[in-house]
């Protein structure tokens, strides 16, 4: 019977269509689940990196004293970000950055620096100063000229250290292997937020 056969074929086509729709929906759901899992794993990995970096820095604060404190904190941060050069400093009452960490091992053109190891905030170059005025991290992945001690760098990331939304210091990371990527910038921000209040306590103690 042609009519019965047509009905059977139509039923099969309908079942096939429904099956394809079901497979399509399930595939889409699985893809979303995989993406969510991947995003969760990435977020967890980033968080673990933050915790690891901050724990390492915290150990330095707990075990170091004097100028060794500054040197060891900077070394720990440079190691976390795989950078060859860097600065860690605080601001004084005259609006200058003081850099106890300046040495020939962590900053290029060391012989060109001022013996006071300090620089006026106004001496920061235009883009850096603007970012600091806006309380943002400055990042440059190409060659960069900084007016801080006549440095020529392959790349640089400079983060303001803020305490109660007030500029209390500066963290500069430079000459990184490769370049600063989005995850690096997020981690720099979190490390800077971790360092700033602890560093401020040590400065107040010394005063």
């Amino acid at each position: 019977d042609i009519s019965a056969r047509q009905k059977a074929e139509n039923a099969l086509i309908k079942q096939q269509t429904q099956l394809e729709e079901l497979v399509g929906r399930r595939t889409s759901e699985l893809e979303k689940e995989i993406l969510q899992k991947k995003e969760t794993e990435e977020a967890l990995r980033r968080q673990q990196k933050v915790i690891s970096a901050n724990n390492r820095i915290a150990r330095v604060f707990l075990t170091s004293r004097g100028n060794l404190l500054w040197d060891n904190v900077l070394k720990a941060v440079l190691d976390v970000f795989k950078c060859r050069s860097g600065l860690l400093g605080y601001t004084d009452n005259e609006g200058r950055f003081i850099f106890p960490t300046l040495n020939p091992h962590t900053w290029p053109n060391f012989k060109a620096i001022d013996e006071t190891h300090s620089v006026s905030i106004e001496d920061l170059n235009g883009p850096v100063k603007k970012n600091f005025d806006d309380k943002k991290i400055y990042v440059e992945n190409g060659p960069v000229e900084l007016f801080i001690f006549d440095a020529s760098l392959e790349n640089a990331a400079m983060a303001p250290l803020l305490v109660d939304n007030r500029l209390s210091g500066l963290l500069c990371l430079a000459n990184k292997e490769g370049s600063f990527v989005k995850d690096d910038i997020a981690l720099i921000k979190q490390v800077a937020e971790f360092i700033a209040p602890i560093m401020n306590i040590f400065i107040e103690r010394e005063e």
Side-chain angles (χ1 to χ4, degrees):
D1 180 89
I2 295 175
S3 145
R5 187 172 66 184
Q6 187 65 47
K7 287 181 180 179
E9 288 177 354
N10 290 341
L12 285 172
I13 291 171
K14 185 177 181 180
Q15 288 177 351
Q16 180 68 23
T17 301
Q18 290 174 338
L19 180 61
E20 288 174 356
E21 290 175 352
L22 178 62
V23 169
R25 284 199 302 272
R26 186 55 187 143
T27 300
S28 178
E29 290 169 0
L30 285 171
E31 287 174 348
K32 288 180 181 178
E33 289 173 11
I34 291 170
L35 180 60
Q36 289 172 351
K37 183 179 179 182
K38 185 177 180 181
E39 289 174 347
T40 301
E41 289 173 348
E42 283 293 312
L44 180 60
R45 181 189 61 79
R46 287 193 295 269
Q47 194 58 37
Q48 287 173 335
K49 194 170 183 179
V50 171
I51 292 170
S52 175
N54 287 347
N55 282 344
R56 181 171 179 180
I57 294 165
R59 283 195 297 271
V60 173
F61 274 114
L62 291 171
T63 59
S64 302
R65 293 292 181 272
N67 283 343
L68 275 179
L69 168 70
W70 301 97
D71 291 340
N72 291 340
V73 169
L74 179 61
K75 286 176 184 175
V77 176
L78 292 179
D79 189 54
V80 167
F81 291 95
K82 308 301 179 191
C83 293
R84 299 192 307 277
S85 306
L87 292 171
L88 176 63
Y90 60 91
T91 55
D92 65 9
N93 294 328
E94 297 177 0
R96 296 181 66 82
F97 286 117
I98 309 298
F99 296 104
T101 55
L102 271 173
N103 64 69
H105 303 295
T106 57
W107 195 247
N109 300 336
F110 179 75
K111 293 180 181 178
I113 68 171
D114 185 308
E115 289 183 0
T116 62
H117 291 191
S118 66
V119 63
S120 170
I121 294 174
E122 298 303 318
D123 288 339
L124 296 175
N125 72 10
V128 177
K129 188 171 187 309
K130 183 180 185 310
N131 277 46
F132 272 43
D133 288 342
D134 295 338
K135 298 180 175 62
K136 295 179 180 178
I137 296 173
Y138 168 81
V139 179
E140 178 57 67
N141 272 318
V144 56
E145 297 285 336
L146 292 181
F147 297 153
I148 300 179
F149 311 121
D150 302 322
S152 296
L153 308 170
E154 298 167 15
N155 50 43
M158 300 180 68
L161 301 180
L162 305 171
V163 175
D164 296 328
N165 210 35
R166 171 183 59 83
L167 183 64
S168 65
L170 176 153
L171 172 64
C172 174
L173 305 173
N175 297 333
K176 175 179 170 59
E177 296 175 9
S179 59
F180 292 98
V181 298
K182 185 178 179 180
D183 280 1
D184 291 324
I185 298 167
L187 181 56
I188 290 170
K189 183 177 184 294
Q190 289 175 297
V191 167
E193 289 173 350
F194 179 76
I195 288 176
I198 302 175
M199 190 176 79
N200 195 57
I201 291 171
F202 276 84
I203 293 167
E204 290 177 350
R205 283 180 182 175
E206 290 179 1
E207 292 176 349

